[in-house]
Amino acid sequence: MSCLVVKFGGTSVATIERVMHVARRIQKEKEKGYDIIVVVSAMGKATDMLVDMAHEIMPNPSKREMDTLLTTGEQVTSSLLSIALQSLGLRAQSFTGWQAGVLTEAVPADARILDIQPENVRDALGRGRIAVVAGFQGVDDKNNITTLGRGGSDTTAVALAVALGAKRCDIFTDVDGVYTSDPRYVPKARKLQELSYDEMLELANLGAGVLHPRAVEYAKNYNIPLAVRSSYVADEGTIMREEVEVEKGLVVRGIAFKSDIIRLTVSYDANYNGSLANIFTILADSHINVDLIVQTIIEGVEPSVSFSIIKENLADTIRVLEENKSKLGYSHVHIEENLAKVSIVGSGIVSNPGVAAKMFDRLHRENILVKMVSTSEIKISVVIPQEAMLHAANALHDEFELAASLAIQA
Amino acid sequence: MSCLVVKFGGTSVATIERVMHVARRIQKEKEKGYDIIVVVSAMGKATDMLVDMAHEIMPNPSKREMDTLLTTGEQVTSSLLSIALQSLGLRAQSFTGWQAGVLTEAVPADARILDIQPENVRDALGRGRIAVVAGFQGVDDKNNITTLGRGGSDTTAVALAVALGAKRCDIFTDVDGVYTSDPRYVPKARKLQELSYDEMLELANLGAGVLHPRAVEYAKNYNIPLAVRSSYVADEGTIMREEVEVEKGLVVRGIAFKSDIIRLTVSYDANYNGSLANIFTILADSHINVDLIVQTIIEGVEPSVSFSIIKENLADTIRVLEENKSKLGYSHVHIEENLAKVSIVGSGIVSNPGVAAKMFDRLHRENILVKMVSTSEIKISVVIPQEAMLHAANALHDEFELAASLAIQA
């Protein structure tokens, strides 16, 4: 029988009432004839409560002990949901990470899954049981309990789907799919029926926030269809696959945006002849993520390099630059705050050379100043003044006719 | 280095403040130079809260899932206490039941420990760490999480003490030791410095309630000294060993009592010639515990058998007797309620034949009617009217001079 992995996040299981709702939802999927593996997060604020208790003892508790502490949250949900399924007359069995054979690196708090040995899960499915697996957790080779870091339950779901050869992995959440843009700020945004893993990765990294990039990468690497669906609305949601049909004339599939971007420009004397790349090595060593980079070397002009960072990293970045000033040999640093990044994402961008021009032209017509540009095969990002962010996002959403295709589909 | 197992119950770790108090208490034991293994229960009402959530879903949830659910309580305490110990600058490592190698029968909710494979715990001790083990839990041969039933954390502590060859197992609790009787009702009751495992077993079974019988049995079988000590008072508590010195002239070491005892008398026709024991086989098959038994067969008189049960079992007992009436062949059943059992316990009873006579004589002088009697090597129990229970307990406490020896010791 073909199997389906379904994952429910913390808000979907925040109360016993919602756990019952999820159980009935699973019952419907089970009635379609699939073997079902459910992956669950901790109930609502359970994880926060556990973190608060530990912080009441000390500000920086051991990561190993935090992992042992926090994984109880998902374990509680897995047993309660199993009981809820049993109360509907279904057979169900809970699994902790180690019971489900989720083997990880020995890296507390942010382990990657190394292997899944799903014999026990497969055995339960063989007995007609729904397997309810605690997400976000695994076990290392020394039998320490580990956690997978942010978005970890999504990764558990995809990894189990891969290990069990599932037909699909459905991530049930409080949104009903992936949108062409954030509908809170781009009123014409519409739900996408499908998109490619790479498009989702760009959207996820750009802050669309629906799925964790690691889970999408995992699905892409093993080519597992991955769907984002609503816990509350009966609807197919958005499905991610390797190859997706480019909807009629639609080269751009989504518009992402992010505020609180800062541009730093590091300038050197005109006669400086070292490498401008040293700065990025030093920042990387300090775990500071640099996003867009623009380098200017014109003969006779002071060489400079500009890069964007997120606001949270500003203090660290300044400190690292000052500590390394003599080593780097720059003359001064200029900081520009209140910027935003707006990106267009679509698999069709690489094969449509006019896309970038169309984007810049529209921004120009809207009187939006482009401060930095970065392009990839499926993405073009611009850094612009923050006050123009939503204006730009809506204008580009119109420009690339993302709303219009809704009419075509209807 | 010799090691010590210390166990803290749920009230001792009910809040973060108390967890810190326990950590400081452990620090003192550690400073004496022992390797320390701590066994912990769930925090205060944590177990009750989890049970309530499951019961909100259905009244009789699966025992397997309840075990998975409830064991998170002890897991939370073990990691929080490890963090608390670390906050004092001590090295500490938490262990779930399966991490500590606690292997049990495949009996959900009431498993017995089959074996402990403490390599990981021993390894942690070897690195100078305090091992903090979640009590009450283990794992069966199919990797199902199991629980040990009532008093399970005490059993975990004793079993670990056996497996690690500990010098002693200290059960820290909210009482400061084992008393000659319940001090709430017998004002002259005093704390015992020591008693034998068998004496403790009789007292525990009779409702002294300090330690679970299974833990005492385990300690007795492997001859591990077992102490009951206060979490709050710095004091040696009461220690149990195989051989204890009989204090000067003190053949009786404790008085136990239990209310809500019911006597059933099953009578047969004078010409009945079957076995009266059949009734106990049938009751045992229905898991009904019968305590005292008195059988009367006098020629020419209707044969009858009387036995005592606890009030909770009355309805079941009546049902089983009625269902089997034709098979058992009895003529009628007489029920006598509002009785109590009072017992004297002491290793010296077997070698002092006058003890029973002294007990009956005193009860007679106090005008207390003895309805049933049962004797063992270290215990004599009587069933009496419930309203005389505390009177009897106090009179016997005086008769056997249990309070007096306090003066001798002082």
Side-chain angles (χ1 to χ4, degrees), chain A residues 264-281:
Chain A
L264 288 153
T265 302
V266 181
S267 304
Y268 296 79
D269 292 334
N271 58 354
Y272 177 80
N273 59 2
S275 163
L276 300 188
N278 291 343
I279 204 166
F280 301 112
T281 311

Side-chain angles (χ1 to χ4, degrees), chain A residues 150-188:
Chain A
R150 282 202 57 204
S153 292
D154 291 350
T155 311
T156 303
V158 175
L160 275 166
V162 171
L164 294 161
K167 184 174 173 282
R168 201 175 69 230
C169 179
D170 288 354
I171 308 291
F172 284 87
T173 176
D174 45 6
V175 298
D176 62 350
V178 180
Y179 277 67
T180 53
S181 198
D182 187 334
R184 287 173 300 176
Y185 304 108
V186 180
K188 290 182 192 162

Side-chain angles (χ1 to χ4, degrees), chain A residues 11-12 172-176 229-232:
Chain A
T11 51
S12 303
F172 284 87
T173 176
D174 45 6
V175 298
D176 62 350
R229 303 174 66 184
S230 164
S231 300
Y232 309 107

Side-chain angles (χ1 to χ4, degrees), chain A residues 64-139:
Chain A
R64 180 193 186 276
E65 297 308 332
M66 285 308 287
D67 281 358
T68 301
L69 181 66
L70 297 185
T71 50
T72 61
E74 287 77 20
Q75 184 171 332
V76 165
T77 316
S78 70
S79 46
L80 288 175
L81 180 56
S82 297
I83 291 168
L85 289 164
Q86 289 167 356
S87 79
L88 299 177
L90 297 162
R91 275 174 288 179
Q93 179 177 339
S94 69
F95 292 85
T96 60
W98 62 270
Q99 285 177 325
V102 181
L103 310 181
T104 76
E105 299 171 331
V107 178
D110 198 25
R112 279 169 181 267
I113 294 174
L114 295 175
D115 191 20
I116 294 203
Q117 296 175 348
E119 290 69 30
N120 289 333
V121 172
R122 203 174 272 135
D123 180 63
L125 297 176
R127 293 158 183 250
R129 295 180 186 167
I130 295 166
V132 184
V133 180
F136 176 64
Q137 59 184 261
V139 65

Side-chain angles (χ1 to χ4, degrees), chain B residues 117-403:
Chain B
Q117 296 173 348
E119 290 69 30
N120 289 333
V121 172
R122 203 173 273 136
D123 181 61
L125 297 177
R127 294 157 182 251
R129 294 180 187 167
I130 295 166
V132 185
V133 180
F136 177 64
Q137 59 185 262
V139 65
D140 71 15
D141 61 345
K142 293 266 188 290
N143 269 346
N144 294 299
I145 296 170
T146 53
T147 63
L148 308 179
R150 282 201 57 204
S153 292
D154 291 350
T155 312
T156 303
V158 175
L160 275 166
V162 171
L164 293 161
K167 184 174 173 282
R168 201 174 70 229
C169 178
D170 287 354
I171 308 292
F172 284 87
T173 177
D174 45 6
V175 297
D176 62 349
V178 180
Y179 277 68
T180 53
S181 197
D182 187 333
R184 287 173 299 177
Y185 304 108
V186 179
K188 291 182 192 162
R190 68 177 174 90
K191 199 180 74 187
L192 289 160
Q193 283 189 308
E194 55 175 24
L195 75 170
S196 73
Y197 301 119
D198 285 334
E199 289 169 333
M200 184 66 218
L201 276 172
E202 292 291 1
L203 290 168
N205 280 320
L206 293 169
V210 179
L211 277 176
H212 196 266
R214 199 180 276 180
V216 181
E217 270 175 45
Y218 215 110
K220 172 181 154 71
N221 288 342
Y222 293 93
N223 205 11
I224 287 280
L226 183 62
V228 173
R229 302 174 65 184
S230 164
S231 299
Y232 309 108
V233 184
D235 181 291
E236 289 304 310
T238 301
I239 192 151
M240 277 143 269
R241 309 177 202 274
E242 187 58 49
E243 297 280 331
V244 291
E245 283 184 37
V246 175
E247 293 174 59
K248 194 178 161 80
L250 199 70
V251 286
V252 172
R253 208 177 295 268
I255 313 281
F257 46 88
K258 186 164 174 32
S259 58
D260 287 326
I261 301 294
I262 291 176
R263 176 166 75 164
L264 288 157
T265 303
V266 182
S267 304
Y268 297 80
D269 291 335
N271 58 354
Y272 177 80
N273 59 1
S275 163
L276 300 189
N278 291 343
I279 205 165
F280 302 111
T281 310
I282 284 170
L283 289 171
D285 288 348
S286 301
H287 302 285
I288 294 168
N289 228 355
V290 164
D291 190 7
L292 275 59
I293 298 174
V294 175
Q295 191 170 307
T296 317
I297 305 181
I298 304 172
E299 206 158 325
V301 177
E302 288 183 346
S304 72
V305 60
S306 297
F307 55 90
S308 66
I309 57 169
I310 56 170
K311 194 178 184 177
E312 289 77 8
N313 284 342
L314 180 61
D316 277 348
T317 306
I318 297 297
R319 182 182 51 75
V320 170
L321 288 179
E322 285 186 354
E323 282 171 9
N324 292 280
K325 183 161 188 190
S326 60
K327 194 168 159 193
L328 290 169
Y330 63 84
S331 58
H332 60 275
V333 176
H334 177 72
I335 300 168
E336 189 171 5
E337 300 189 73
N338 296 319
L339 300 175
K341 184 168 71 163
V342 177
S343 306
I344 61 174
V345 173
S347 302
I349 291 177
V350 63
S351 51
N352 287 274
V355 175
K358 198 171 178 184
M359 180 183 192
F360 299 143
D361 180 57
R362 178 65 185 249
L363 292 172
H364 176 74
R365 276 188 283 132
E366 301 291 337
N367 286 317
I368 295 167
L369 187 64
V370 174
K371 301 238 171 187
M372 297 174 89
V373 177
S374 161
T375 61
S376 78
E377 292 200 335
I378 65 164
K379 182 187 70 167
I380 304 173
S381 300
V382 294
V383 170
I384 59 173
Q386 185 154 300
E387 73 267 16
M389 178 177 78
L390 296 182
H391 177 180
N394 280 284
L396 293 172
H397 200 267
D398 286 344
E399 183 68 27
F400 291 103
E401 294 171 43
L402 289 174

Side-chain angles (χ1 to χ4, degrees), chain B residues 47-62:
Chain B
T47 304
D48 292 345
M49 281 171 56
L50 292 167
V51 169
D52 288 349
M53 285 203 285
H55 285 174
E56 213 180 307
I57 300 172
M58 67 190 298
N60 285 306
S62 124

Side-chain angles (χ1 to χ4, degrees), chain A residues 221-281:
Chain A
N221 288 343
Y222 293 93
N223 205 12
I224 287 282
L226 182 62
V228 172
R229 303 174 66 184
S230 164
S231 300
Y232 309 107
V233 184
D235 180 291
E236 290 304 311
T238 300
I239 191 151
M240 277 142 268
R241 307 177 203 274
E242 187 58 48
E243 298 280 332
V244 292
E245 283 184 37
V246 175
E247 291 175 60
K248 195 177 160 76
L250 200 69
V251 287
V252 172
R253 209 176 293 269
I255 313 281
F257 46 88
K258 186 163 173 36
S259 58
D260 287 326
I261 301 293
I262 291 177
R263 177 167 73 165
L264 288 153
T265 302
V266 181
S267 304
Y268 296 79
D269 292 334
N271 58 354
Y272 177 80
N273 59 2
S275 163
L276 300 188
N278 291 343
I279 204 166
F280 301 112
T281 311

